[in-house]
Amino acid sequence: MTFRVALVGYGTGGAVFHAPLISSVPGLRLAAVVTRDPGRQQAVRSRYPDTRVLDSTDRLWESTGTYDLVVIATPNRQHVPSPAPR
């Protein structure tokens, strides 16, 4: 069985750590990368030509049945905020 992985973020964490690891592990396939940056989009297309490049997480969520796992590799400040403590 192969797990289709979507990667959100292609900065240092995504490009240097997550994408190479995902693409090198048997049973995982880097199916999509989400990045808004045109230069990073081109870098993904060059290094991983069979990987879908998306420009927003909205596009990713529209096709959730296409992926088995999502890795979030964006800076913490870009994550969904936690609810305020009670």
Side-chain angles (χ1 to χ4, degrees):
M1 177 177 197
T2 298
F3 289 95
R4 302 160 299 177
V5 181
L7 173 61
V8 178
Y10 199 72
T12 301
V16 175
F17 300 105
H18 296 289
L21 178 65
I22 293 164
S23 65
S24 68
V25 172
L28 297 181
R29 181 172 65 85
L30 186 60
V33 172
V34 178
T35 180
R36 293 181 189 163
D37 183 276
R40 291 177 182 172
Q41 290 173 351
Q42 186 55 45
V44 173
R45 289 183 182 105
S46 294
R47 187 162 183 192
Y48 306 101
D50 295 329
T51 297
R52 186 173 178 202
V53 178
L54 305 171
D55 61 3
S56 74
T57 52
D58 289 340
R59 301 247 343 254
L60 176 66
W61 307 140
E62 290 169 359
S63 55
T64 55
T66 306
Y67 310 105
D68 303 300
L69 173 70
V70 176
V71 174
I72 307 296
T74 60
N76 288 342
R77 68 183 179 279
Q78 293 179 337
H79 295 192
V80 174
S82 299
R86 296 180 187 201

